[in-house]
Amino acid sequence: MSQENILIIGAGGQIGVELTAALRKIYGDAHVVASDLKDEPHPLLKDKGPYEKIDAMKKRQIVEVIKKYGITQIYHLAAILSATGEMRPNWAWGINMNSVLLLLEIAREKKLKKIYWPSSIAVFGPTTPKQNTPQKTIIEPTTVYGISKYAGEQWCQYYFDKYKIDVRSIRYPGLISYKSHPGGGTTDYAVDIYYKALADKKYTCFLAEDTYLPMLYMPDAIRGTIELMEASADKLSTRMGYNLSGMSFSPKEITASIQKHIPDFTIDYAPDFRQAIANSWPQSIDDAVAQKDWNWKAAYDLDKMTDDMLKNLKK
Ligand code: NAD
Ligand code: SER
């Protein structure tokens, strides 16, 4: 098998830090180039492998790094997430849309072997069935983030159909992790709550207590991403985002899970503009197509994740 050289764009974010480390274990430190807008790598990536400052909107910067390292695959993680996107819609649209189009064009011009670009459950909207949302269903997103993710998915399918670009994508649910902070999403409460439970034993939640959303623990998300990227191309039935399910819970339920470890932890509720975003999304996801195409299965449920989050955050 020929050596792969991988570029990760947006490697300093919640997913990028962990995905970079996981890919370096597989391909070797020197063969996975982390990049982000920042001058310096995320502290967890410092002195662990190559780092380049790259703006996902700047073709010249990406092409120079492709040439310098002989890049064969790109994971493009840079994006403006749902809550930040609703505050600055035009700016978010520009970054989310133009950067994925640029990536697809670069993949075509430079004949990259494979590219990865994540989508989100935000593609779904209020008219989508809320429970066990299937892979193919009504898709009418109402956030700028969701619109950009759905348009991006369609561009991915287009570049596959027209130019045979081997692009792969997952509709991540809300991701929960302890290594790098989330970057402005509606599901961020489910990360913040663990930090506050340990630090203050109380938390004010920006979603109402009965708001169910689909969620996934980061180790499952990283494994799923790598499994999809390693799956044989002829097994993949879509080049749009695959539905991926892990768990579904409400703020009230995650509180109860934390209280099994910290009995005097309390929560109160002050829903803000993010409530409307959450209300527009599914409550649980059907991932039968990912199961069938590349044997996807999540390993963590809510209590198992809580055990692991609290154990690691205490360290
Ligand atoms: P994040 O906000 O934590 O990280 C994004 C990173 O991209 C940041 O380090 C930021 O500095 C960088 N970035 C922003 N603009 C850039 C630009 N122009 N050029 C280069 N880098 C830039 O996001 P994340 O949670 O790691 O998400 C990664 C991807 O996964 C995104 O596409 C996001 O939409 C998707 N996703 C995330 C979640 C989640 O819960 N975290 C859920 C669904 C989908
Ligand atoms: N976690 C993400 C968000 O809330 C979902 O894509 O924006």
Side-chain angles (χ1 to χ4, degrees), residues 16-33:
V17 167
E18 301 204 34
L19 188 58
T20 303
L23 289 170
R24 282 183 173 158
K25 271 194 188 142
I26 299 170
Y27 294 97
D29 290 352
H31 298 286
V32 179
V33 182

Side-chain angles (χ1 to χ4, degrees), residues 100-130:
V100 66
L101 270 174
L102 180 60
L103 170 79
L104 289 162
E105 259 311 288
I106 289 175
R108 186 172 73 87
E109 278 177 26
K110 300 294 164 195
K111 301 188 171 33
L112 297 181
K113 280 194 205 158
K114 256 184 230 179
I115 54 174
Y116 179 75
W117 173 80
S119 184
S120 162
I121 52 152
V123 296
F124 301 118
T127 50
T128 302
K130 286 226 172 290

Side-chain angles (χ1 to χ4, degrees), residues 9 11 22 26 55 68 70 77 85 89 97 103-104 123 143 166 173 176 180 189 251-252 256 276-277 279 293:
I9 299 175
I26 299 170
D55 182 340
K68 179 172 169 187
L77 306 177
M97 216 56 266
L103 170 79
L104 289 162
V123 296
T143 61
D166 190 351
I176 296 155
S180 179
Y189 92 85
K252 194 173 170 183
I277 301 176
N279 289 347
D293 287 4

